[in-house]
Amino acid sequence: MKKVTAFAPATVANVSCGFDILGFAIDDLGDKVTVELKEAVGLTVARIEGDGGKLPLEADKNTCTVAIQAMLDALGTQKGMEISLEKGLPLGSGMGSSAASAAAALVAANELLGKPFEKNDLVPFAMEAERMACGAAHADNVAPSILGGFVLIRDYDHLDMVKLPVPKGLYCTLVHPHLELKTADSRSVLRQQISLKEATVQSGNIAGLIAGLYQSDYGLISRSLKDVIAEPSRALLIPGFYELREAVMDLGALGSGISGSGPTIFILSQGRNTAIQAGEASKAVFEKIGLGVDIYVSEVNDRGAYVQTP
Amino acid sequence: MKKVTAFAPATVANVSCGFDILGFAIDDLGDKVTVELKEAVGLTVARIEGDGGKLPLEADKNTCTVAIQAMLDALGTQKGMEISLEKGLPLGSGMGSSAASAAAALVAANELLGKPFEKNDLVPFAMEAERMACGAAHADNVAPSILGGFVLIRDYDHLDMVKLPVPKGLYCTLVHPHLELKTADSRSVLRQQISLKEATVQSGNIAGLIAGLYQSDYGLISRSLKDVIAEPSRALLIPGFYELREAVMDLGALGSGISGSGPTIFILSQGRNTAIQAGEASKAVFEKIGLGVDIYVSEVNDRGAYVQTP
């Protein structure tokens, strides 16, 4: 085997009350990476499609190659590999674009090398790519993109991940309004001090959300999908955020929130029909504002990244 | 049936990372309340044993009668009832003493009235007793005392309780040092503002603890039993707190923390042997300091308050 293609899904991080500690994976929408073994040692990016020419081809600046290099370093080996990346995800949208590329690259390269690593072990390598791409080694996109489902990052200092169950029939609608929102701006509006009361409310909600996922209790999931810490500041950067919430809650969605650091909004629903209706209602909200929007409807993906060609 | 006796267990609230939102119940240790129907309308406290004469006999100041009155008010009825309270719990120790009395009184009175209420429905009445006794209608002691097991209070504004699973073989050691710690003092040392980073760490830990309980994952429970919000301030009021932790962690306990607002310390262990050894090690720590101490070892109680005489 000299060539492997893998797919890794888009992800939603900062799941409302799960700010900085929780993410989940989407089905279908994501990036494809093909890794081909070469004679000459060294990693190269041969081509990137679907990025509008925005992503770097330099091996030390591309998340695919940075992630694979971290993996090779861990193995204490050098290899020749040529990477081709097919972006299925918009850049800088808050859907875990850089993470999906790194995840797909790792799963493909791991397969090519005869699977020296379990999926769990790939996460730290992808985090190195996140560190390069956004300055911080976040795991809340790369972990669900690799592992699938909901992944809790209990602790970053000693990477402690917990894969959580996904209730049957849980759907996500992603609403990507055509506006640019820099992660740095989205980060800078966060309050660095919060009240004890707010921290307690947030704790109650993340605890309720985790219990709701284990019990497949949609009512509890819905009541728990509230963020009193990041959302009140960040929602101000996204026009239509609260109008969208009102519209989708009225038609029975479980909750909505900012995906990653935005501007994409995620909506969780029980069942595909509600998720589709939520997408239509969201589109109407943004059309009224005069903003274009892309809508994706998908079941929450429980398998994560996978090899497409054996 | 004119007379019913019920037992309600001691409880641990503020379970480390579960500050203000989580509590659990202990076996055996607790209060007994006998409620007897009388002809003359009105609630009276006939006698209290085991309180050293400290608890009030006035019906509007005793948590048993205040809780029952709230229940009768909800039923829109008046009854004649005489209450006898047998305290099995030390007062002001942080083991949910006032909550256990109210819980036992409610379960006995509810039985006497032909069970007009489910156990869940009794919690708000016991919260009224807590409001009278400590100025705030906390539920993190009364809910586990009535329902048993671990109870999450997701939301106080619209009382939203979730009974969580109890892993088999989970034991608690309660260490009650003989020192007085006023709840008001314990409350006043809490910081009212905390950093975003601390709130995120606390969220990760409570999420991990909930997942650990569902998965009976003792390692995850242990790693999650950390409180970066209340404990750093409150532990300063309890001499020997960190020495005790070091001693019990060395011998394999899962974690330790302040029970309620202290001074009692709780230790969670997998299996009865470790729980007993943790108690002995704790005793040694306090003997060195020159403080007397009571030790209780008990499985986590999953049944809550119950009727003793049908």
Side-chain angles (χ1 to χ4, degrees), chain B residues 29-187:
Chain B
L29 189 70
D31 289 353
K32 265 187 212 181
V33 173
T34 301
V35 182
E36 189 170 354
L37 277 179
K38 293 286 177 184
E39 286 297 321
V41 159
L43 305 181
T44 53
V45 182
R47 69 195 138 270
I48 306 177
E49 283 169 32
D51 67 328
K54 287 187 182 164
L55 289 177
L57 290 160
E58 296 93 325
D60 59 345
K61 288 183 186 152
N62 186 291
T63 61
C64 298
T65 35
V66 168
I68 295 176
Q69 189 59 55
M71 181 168 86
L72 294 175
D73 290 348
L75 288 169
T77 184
Q78 290 191 310
K79 293 281 174 188
M81 290 182 178
E82 188 185 274
I83 283 91
S84 305
L85 166 60
E86 199 181 312
K87 287 300 296 179
L89 275 185
L91 311 181
S93 58
M95 299 187 212
S97 178
S98 61
S101 301
L106 285 169
V107 167
N110 190 45
E111 183 80 11
L112 209 51
L113 297 173
K115 284 203 184 170
F117 294 104
E118 297 292 323
K119 264 186 159 186
N120 260 322
D121 305 326
L122 298 177
V123 175
F125 309 141
M127 288 169 72
E128 288 307 311
E130 291 284 73
R131 190 197 303 280
M132 183 277 299
C134 38
H138 289 298
D140 47 354
N141 286 114
V142 294
S145 188
I146 292 172
L147 303 172
F150 281 83
V151 180
L152 163 69
I153 321 292
R154 190 199 61 81
D155 180 20
Y156 274 93
D157 294 337
H158 317 86
L159 187 61
D160 191 2
M161 301 179 292
V162 185
K163 195 166 186 303
L164 304 168
V166 179
K168 222 175 151 64
L170 185 62
Y171 276 78
C172 178
T173 309
L174 287 177
V175 180
H176 176 217
H178 295 166
L179 63 93
E180 206 178 336
L181 187 59
K182 290 219 160 64
T183 301
D185 291 342
S186 196
R187 200 87 208 160

Side-chain angles (χ1 to χ4, degrees), chain A:
Chain A
M1 193 168 49
K2 299 204 61 176
K3 192 163 138 180
V4 171
T5 299
F7 170 86
T11 45
V12 172
N14 296 336
V15 188
S16 291
C17 50
F19 175 70
D20 252 10
I21 60 165
L22 188 66
F24 66 84
I26 297 303
D27 237 9
D28 301 329
L29 191 66
D31 288 355
K32 265 188 215 179
V33 174
T34 300
V35 181
E36 189 170 353
L37 277 180
K38 295 284 176 186
E39 286 297 321
V41 159
L43 304 180
T44 53
V45 183
R47 67 194 141 270
I48 307 177
E49 285 170 32
D51 68 329
K54 287 188 183 163
L55 289 178
L57 289 161
E58 295 93 326
D60 59 346
K61 289 183 184 151
N62 186 291
T63 62
C64 297
T65 35
V66 169
I68 294 176
Q69 189 59 56
M71 181 169 85
L72 294 175
D73 290 347
L75 287 170
T77 185
Q78 290 191 310
K79 293 281 175 189
M81 291 182 177
E82 186 186 272
I83 283 93
S84 305
L85 166 60
E86 199 181 312
K87 289 297 297 178
L89 276 184
L91 309 182
S93 58
M95 298 184 211
S97 179
S98 61
S101 300
L106 285 169
V107 167
N110 190 45
E111 183 79 12
L112 209 49
L113 297 174
K115 284 203 184 172
F117 294 105
E118 297 291 321
K119 264 187 162 187
N120 260 320
D121 305 326
L122 298 177
V123 175
F125 309 139
M127 287 169 71
E128 286 309 311
E130 290 286 72
R131 190 198 303 280
M132 183 276 301
C134 35
H138 289 299
D140 47 353
N141 286 112
V142 293
S145 188
I146 292 172
L147 303 172
F150 281 83
V151 180
L152 164 68
I153 319 293
R154 190 199 62 80
D155 181 18
Y156 274 92
D157 293 338
H158 317 86
L159 187 61
D160 191 3
M161 302 179 292
V162 185
K163 195 166 186 307
L164 305 168
V166 179
K168 223 175 146 66
L170 185 61
Y171 276 79
C172 176
T173 310
L174 286 177
V175 180
H176 176 218
H178 297 166
L179 62 94
E180 205 179 338
L181 188 57
K182 291 219 160 64
T183 301
D185 291 343
S186 197
R187 201 85 208 164
S188 72
V189 299
L190 290 177
R191 294 169 299 152
Q192 292 306 310
Q193 293 287 315
I194 58 171
S195 73
L196 179 61
K197 173 75 186 158
E198 289 166 323
T200 308
V201 167
Q202 193 89 342
S203 281
N205 283 328
I206 184 65
L209 178 56
I210 304 291
L213 292 173
Y214 275 97
Q215 295 185 182
S216 294
D217 182 336
Y218 283 102
L220 180 56
I221 291 170
S222 179
R223 296 194 298 280
S224 303
L225 276 172
K226 287 172 194 151
D227 172 12
V228 299
I229 290 185
E231 184 182 289
S233 313
R234 287 186 164 172
L236 303 174
L237 304 176
I238 305 172
F241 181 83
Y242 291 109
E243 292 85 339
L244 178 152
R245 171 166 295 163
E246 203 183 323
V248 302
M249 294 308 282
D250 277 353
L251 54 83
L254 300 169
S256 64
I258 301 167
S259 178
S261 52
T264 295
I265 297 168
F266 76 90
I267 304 157
L268 286 173
S269 299
Q270 181 178 10
R272 190 174 168 81
N273 282 347
T274 307
I276 290 172
Q277 287 166 26
E280 286 162 2
S282 301
K283 200 171 175 180
V285 166
F286 280 100
E287 272 173 359
K288 218 167 151 186
I289 297 173
L291 268 179
V293 76
D294 299 311
I295 309 281
Y296 309 92
V297 173
S298 157
E299 203 163 2
V300 174
N301 161 350
D302 205 20
R303 67 175 166 168
Y306 58 91
V307 169
Q308 286 197 313
T309 54

